[in-house]
Amino acid sequence: MLNHNILGVVERQVRTWSADDAGVYASATGGYSPAFAIPLLQHGGPQLGLTGADMTQVLHAEQSLWLHRPLPAHGSTIVTKTVTGIYDKGSGALVVSTWESGYASTRSSCFVKGEGGFGGERGETREFGVPDTEPEVSYFRTSTNQALRYCETGDVNPMHHDPEFARRAGFPKPILHGVCTLGITMRGRNFTELHARFTAPVLPGDELRIEHWATGEFRTSAGDRQVLVGSVRFSEVDSS
């Protein structure tokens, strides 16, 4: 059972990176983007620290990123992680955690199936949508080892590399990290703020259809399934 005493717990660590780390990320996602800050700050994966939870029942639900200044090619920063909310969604609990640093801040929401009904606040729900106008469309065929390649960024969640664990979670095989799909979606783009919701799993080998709108909205699909939807705030480079 999820331990609610994790609420408000603060952890600090020093994160150091090099150009090689950025290269590993770019190789795993098809190209570099500022979304590299997500695995850099959330090293190990957003699911770490959910004490007592059955990890086969944990899914990454939403991800946000705010960039305060450009990441240099190599550097070091103090990262402060805080569990900022545990919300009762009925069928499960939504655990929200934030990571703060001088370069960027991230927020992840993890849905823990079967842990709802405890009488807590439901929390606010961010609305995501896309315009009716025609988007810019691109395609990306994920490889059968895409998840294993992304694991090299430091994400240790067995949902993405352990077949037996994935089966116990209800999937036919290990699924692709949501933040890998997000990295593929954002490759080669620049932005200062990002918000995304993961709506369905991607299996390594799936072809992704990626849609971007000039106003910042984006959507990614695999076959007839929407797997990701979100929006960005553009950097001054983009807006110029």
Side-chain angles (χ1 to χ4, degrees), residues 131-138 209-214 217 219:
D132 293 331
T133 55
E134 287 297 313
E136 172 193 336
V137 178
S138 63
R209 183 179 192 270
I210 301 165
E211 300 168 288
H212 282 278
W213 281 264
E217 294 85 358
R219 179 172 59 190

Side-chain angles (χ1 to χ4, degrees), residues 22-41:
V24 168
Y25 178 80
S27 176
T29 60
Y32 181 80
S33 82
F36 168 61
I38 297 171
L40 178 63
L41 270 62

Side-chain angles (χ1 to χ4, degrees), residues 49-232:
L50 301 184
T51 307
D54 178 352
M55 298 308 294
T56 66
Q57 301 303 301
V58 176
L59 294 172
H60 194 177
E62 292 187 6
Q63 179 69 53
S64 293
L65 169 65
W66 297 264
L67 294 160
H68 309 317
R69 53 190 173 119
L71 285 173
H74 56 85
S76 182
T77 188
I78 297 174
V79 178
T80 301
K81 177 193 175 184
T82 310
V83 178
T84 52
I86 302 179
Y87 300 104
D88 189 344
K89 296 297 187 179
S91 61
L94 191 71
V95 182
V96 180
S97 301
T98 62
W99 289 257
E100 303 279 352
S101 79
Y103 290 100
S105 301
T106 69
R107 182 179 64 215
S108 283
S109 300
C110 287
F111 187 75
V112 189
K113 294 185 286 186
E115 292 281 2
F118 56 87
E121 295 182 6
R122 185 168 179 83
E124 297 181 359
T125 300
R126 177 183 289 272
E127 296 296 327
F128 288 94
V130 297
D132 293 331
T133 55
E134 287 297 313
E136 172 193 336
V137 178
S138 63
Y139 294 86
F140 186 95
R141 170 70 70 176
T142 63
S143 66
T144 55
N145 69 344
Q146 198 84 44
L148 294 178
R149 293 169 65 185
Y150 193 83
C151 284
E152 295 178 1
T153 67
D155 194 305
V156 299
N157 190 341
M159 190 83 76
H160 309 298
H161 63 80
D162 185 330
E164 176 56 31
F165 188 95
R167 281 192 291 269
R168 287 193 282 117
F171 300 109
K173 62 179 181 178
I175 62 175
L176 192 61
H177 312 68
V179 284
C180 182
T181 302
L182 181 58
I184 292 169
T185 299
M186 302 311 301
R187 68 196 192 284
R189 294 180 180 270
N190 207 358
F191 52 87
T192 56
E193 183 176 334
L194 175 151
H195 304 281
R197 176 174 295 151
F198 307 110
T199 56
V202 173
L203 295 177
D206 282 348
E207 183 177 53
L208 302 178
R209 183 179 192 270
I210 301 165
E211 300 168 288
H212 282 278
W213 281 264
T215 46
E217 294 85 358
F218 59 85
R219 179 172 59 190
T220 302
S221 304
D224 60 357
R225 296 175 294 112
Q226 174 188 281
V227 299
L228 173 69
V229 62
S231 64
V232 297

Side-chain angles (χ1 to χ4, degrees), residues 5-29:
N5 289 331
I6 63 174
L7 182 62
V9 169
V10 177
E11 302 174 3
R12 290 183 176 86
Q13 61 175 295
V14 176
R15 291 289 298 128
T16 301
W17 69 96
S18 68
D20 288 342
D21 297 314
V24 168
Y25 178 80
S27 176
T29 60

